[in-house]
Amino acid sequence: MVTMGDVAKLSGVSKMTVSNVINDRAGVSDEVRRRVLEAIRQSGYRVNLSARTLRSGRTGVIGLAVPEIDRPYFGQLAAHVIAEARGRGFHVAIEQTGAAAAGEIDAISHSYTMQFDGLILSAVGIDPQDSRLTGGGYPIVMLGEQDFAARFDHVAMPNEEGAKAATTHLIDRGCRRIAMVTGDSLDGVNVVTRRHRGYLAGLAERGLDPDPALLFPVSGMTLESGREAAYRLVDSGREVDGVVAVSDTVAQGVFRGLADRGVRVPGDIRLVGYDDIPEAAYMVPSLSTVAPDHRWMAAKAVELVTARIQDPSRPAGEHTAPFELMVRESTR
Amino acid sequence: MVTMGDVAKLSGVSKMTVSNVINDRAGVSDEVRRRVLEAIRQSGYRVNLSARTLRSGRTGVIGLAVPEIDRPYFGQLAAHVIAEARGRGFHVAIEQTGAAAAGEIDAISHSYTMQFDGLILSAVGIDPQDSRLTGGGYPIVMLGEQDFAARFDHVAMPNEEGAKAATTHLIDRGCRRIAMVTGDSLDGVNVVTRRHRGYLAGLAERGLDPDPALLFPVSGMTLESGREAAYRLVDSGREVDGVVAVSDTVAQGVFRGLADRGVRVPGDIRLVGYDDIPEAAYMVPSLSTVAPDHRWMAAKAVELVTARIQDPSRPAGEHTAPFELMVRESTR
DNA sequence: TTGTACGCGTTATCAT
DNA sequence: ATGATAACGCGTACAA
């Protein structure tokens, strides 16, 4: 392995000067810089990041913990975060939490062990009151929907606002019996409960009474659980003319489930999702959905975590992404 | 920061003994081990991976370079690789190559710089003859379709076999004018050309003549390029009763494009994809497709790269995944 | 079974 | 503008 010392010897300078050249520090004459760069090229020298990290205490890596990387929403998020971090000279390491509180706690611990400089945690299961959840000065940015009470930097989605807009949109299209397909636990503050609140707020704003019988719980944010909820919806025999799904992926499942039962969208039931995953615009019918600004969220999260890396004591802030309601064929 | 020395002091032993306890080495009395573990717990000590890496030369990280992590196929692949690597005590760092040869070369160089112990490279653009493409003893496993001539361990998809099976399936369903929507370059050996060969082989096996006018090139493996190819297909006015798409994502785009032009699937045109992404089964109509065994591929790739990490001089091998043709509604 | 001394490759400090 | 020296925290060789 070629070390800095080898390069120094080759170009007839000290290790320190080589280091200065590599890190673009001032105080190196053009002539020496040229010689050193030439020696690096010739020798094929590469910086040893472990040594640098050992000395400097920084890895240049930001962790990104998501529930499952194979869900379109998180794949997109990851792509944006990677791009944004690269622009700031950071590398991104992806962790999977399995959408469980334990996995999320592990991710923090693991991030620390791996010596990531900071962590962006897309939290869905964790309880903000969890005693194991202590920043301890370690730069963590939360990306999710719990209420972290300013204990962490937090980038939130416009869950209530978005779900409310989706619901009033259905009503304005003529729907009166609007079901919601959403998570099975309506306790606490999370994606599921906040979108449910938005749904209720939407009904209220248009003077409709909520009907608890029109809530169809799913155990996970998956295609299959959406389909299965649609079966229950149809088989219940209840009159329904609109469905708000907690996410686009669930909406895709609901759509398939309705089709399996011979129910047409938007003819019999209008359907709206949340997330605006890329596939939404390409479904037939295309899916109306709430589109939070993903790039904005990724950029904000990276901005916050890098700022906190530089100054761990800065005050934490709460930030909510802008959104747009994408009206497409499924609510035509 | 708590170091090994602190733990040693706290438990009244030497650093070496602490190291022995941590790495589960023999020659430590139960009593001492207990004391050390207690001290570790109390102090909150964590191994410093940089120091360990600097000393041992190993990071315990495997790089996974994919074109774009926000494409469902690669998201799934990543999820499987991460799970498999975890089982072998490795961590996975994801890189994005942008589906370009330059990005793939960069990924190798970057993987090396980041001191990953090995790299799984999902290559789509690289030329196996590229002079910059030299393993140099660094453990690289190729996951893609080029012909690497045993210079690298290589996990391949059953591209020709799969595309051929898809094509004969269309013919057996009664199709006679079968178009293919595929990449725009039919040079070299890659996903595009191999699936195209499979398509030709399928036609040949059933005694149909290929018609070059039924090739509709796309510039990328995206939803949008699939849609746009469908427009060209319909607008060309050519008679077509079946379409083989180069991937499921492209097939989704084709399906949407056909719908935009009022062409029904499978009524007017039967459609088959490749990959079996999760969404395929949930489309309406559900998408018939070739399902390579993704988990098998991920497991094999991780197995190969870990084996090569242990023994860099082992002979390289070529491995092709098994597949299954998923017959669904789009070819009903 | 435990301890000592040194080296891994880099960077910070201080001196020249 | 450049160089010498000492750390960073861990693991290995060898000594006790």
Side-chain angles (χ1 to χ4, degrees), chain A:
Chain A
M1 164 177 280
V2 185
T3 76
M4 208 175 239
D6 298 332
V7 174
K9 216 168 294 172
L10 201 60
S11 45
V13 300
S14 73
K15 287 196 298 182
M16 201 53 234
T17 300
V18 176
S19 175
N20 286 334
V21 169
I22 286 171
N23 295 289
D24 243 346
R25 283 187 277 252
V28 182
S29 69
D30 285 355
E31 160 59 12
V32 168
R33 176 183 306 276
R34 211 191 45 67
R35 279 216 321 268
V36 170
L37 289 175
E38 175 59 18
I40 288 175
R41 213 185 48 68
Q42 272 189 23
S43 61
Y45 163 78
R46 312 274 192 126
V47 181
N48 183 319
L49 291 188
S50 305
R52 169 177 288 175
T53 296
L54 178 59
R55 188 63 184 121
S56 71
R58 292 222 178 149
T59 54
V61 176
I62 296 171
L64 171 66
V66 297
E68 287 148 344
I69 190 62
D70 54 344
R71 268 158 50 181
Y73 170 70
F74 293 109
Q76 248 200 309
L77 174 68
H80 285 143
V81 167
I82 289 172
E84 189 68 26
R86 168 178 299 229
R88 293 170 186 266
F90 282 88
H91 192 78
V92 175
I94 296 175
E95 308 283 315
Q96 293 194 107
T97 62
E104 292 171 3
I105 297 284
D106 279 357
I108 296 177
S109 158
H110 190 243
S111 170
Y112 191 73
T113 302
M114 293 296 290
Q115 299 177 258
F116 300 151
D117 291 341
L119 177 67
I120 297 173
L121 176 56
S122 193
V124 301
I126 218 167
D127 176 359
Q129 306 303 326
D130 195 305
S131 62
R132 296 163 300 175
L133 186 53
T134 155
Y138 184 65
I140 298 180
V141 172
M142 292 293 182
L143 206 60
E145 308 321 323
Q146 290 86 338
D147 180 4
F148 292 102
R151 289 173 59 209
F152 295 93
D153 281 314
H154 182 196
V155 179
M157 276 201 207
N159 285 299
E160 295 197 27
E161 304 86 327
K164 180 180 166 188
T167 306
T168 55
H169 167 62
L170 285 176
I171 298 170
D172 295 344
R173 282 286 199 246
C175 301
R176 288 298 174 269
R177 301 277 302 163
I178 302 175
M180 182 163 198
V181 175
T182 188
D184 50 6
S185 157
L186 292 179
D187 297 334
V189 178
N190 52 50
V191 181
V192 167
T193 57
R194 294 185 67 166
R195 291 185 189 168
H196 179 241
R197 284 174 64 103
Y199 159 78
L200 294 178
L203 294 178
E205 180 155 305
R206 292 289 188 274
L208 292 186
D209 286 330
D211 180 349
L214 295 187
L215 279 187
F216 294 89
V218 290
S219 55
M221 306 280 260
T222 64
L223 291 160
E224 184 48 36
S225 58
R227 160 144 74 177
E228 190 264 326
Y231 291 165
R232 275 183 283 126
L233 187 154
V234 176
D235 297 346
S236 75
R238 293 187 210 290
E239 186 193 339
V240 168
D241 54 13
V243 171
V244 177
V246 69
S247 77
D248 284 355
T249 297
V250 169
Q252 283 181 296
V254 166
F255 174 50
R256 178 69 238 190
L258 292 176
D260 286 345
R261 291 290 193 262
V263 178
R264 288 161 311 159
V265 173
D268 301 319
I269 289 184
R270 291 187 171 82
L271 175 63
V272 59
Y274 194 115
D275 278 343
D276 195 28
I277 62 176
E279 288 82 358
Y282 291 84
M283 290 171 60
V284 181
S286 55
L287 180 67
S288 294
T289 186
V290 177
D293 191 333
H294 295 111
R295 178 163 289 131
W296 185 96
M297 294 182 67
K300 179 60 77 178
V302 172
E303 173 195 327
L304 289 171
V305 78
T306 52
R308 182 157 301 280
I309 288 167
Q310 288 190 348
D311 174 14
S313 68
R314 72 196 288 279
E318 176 95 17
H319 308 264
T320 301
F323 77 96
E324 192 180 346
L325 181 68
M326 310 301 290
V327 176
R328 300 203 181 104
E329 293 164 357
S330 69
T331 57
R332 180 70 33 96

Side-chain angles (χ1 to χ4, degrees), chain B residues 75-297:
Chain B
Q76 248 200 308
L77 174 69
H80 285 143
V81 166
I82 289 172
E84 188 69 24
R86 169 177 298 230
R88 293 169 186 265
F90 281 89
H91 191 77
V92 176
I94 296 174
E95 307 284 316
Q96 294 194 103
T97 62
E104 292 171 3
I105 297 283
D106 279 357
I108 297 177
S109 158
H110 190 241
S111 171
Y112 191 73
T113 302
M114 293 295 290
Q115 299 178 259
F116 301 150
D117 290 342
L119 176 67
I120 298 174
L121 176 56
S122 193
V124 301
I126 217 167
D127 176 0
Q129 306 303 326
D130 195 305
S131 62
R132 296 164 300 176
L133 185 54
T134 155
Y138 184 64
I140 298 179
V141 172
M142 293 292 181
L143 206 60
E145 308 321 324
Q146 289 87 337
D147 180 4
F148 292 102
R151 290 173 59 207
F152 296 93
D153 282 314
H154 182 195
V155 178
M157 276 200 206
N159 285 299
E160 296 197 26
E161 304 86 326
K164 180 179 166 188
T167 306
T168 55
H169 167 63
L170 285 177
I171 298 170
D172 295 344
R173 282 286 200 247
C175 300
R176 288 298 174 270
R177 301 276 303 162
I178 301 175
M180 180 161 199
V181 175
T182 187
D184 51 5
S185 158
L186 292 178
D187 297 333
V189 179
N190 52 52
V191 180
V192 167
T193 56
R194 293 185 68 163
R195 290 185 190 167
H196 179 241
R197 285 175 63 103
Y199 159 77
L200 294 178
L203 293 178
E205 180 155 308
R206 292 289 188 274
L208 291 186
D209 285 331
D211 180 352
L214 295 187
L215 278 187
F216 294 91
V218 290
S219 56
M221 306 280 262
T222 64
L223 291 160
E224 184 48 35
S225 58
R227 160 144 74 175
E228 191 263 326
Y231 291 165
R232 275 183 283 125
L233 187 153
V234 175
D235 297 346
S236 75
R238 293 187 211 291
E239 187 193 338
V240 168
D241 55 12
V243 171
V244 177
V246 68
S247 77
D248 284 355
T249 297
V250 169
Q252 283 181 296
V254 167
F255 173 51
R256 178 68 238 190
L258 292 176
D260 287 344
R261 290 291 193 262
V263 177
R264 287 161 310 158
V265 173
D268 301 317
I269 289 184
R270 290 187 171 82
L271 176 62
V272 59
Y274 193 113
D275 278 344
D276 196 28
I277 63 176
E279 288 82 358
Y282 291 84
M283 289 170 62
V284 180
S286 54
L287 180 67
S288 295
T289 187
V290 177
D293 191 333
H294 297 111
R295 179 163 287 130
W296 184 96
M297 294 182 68

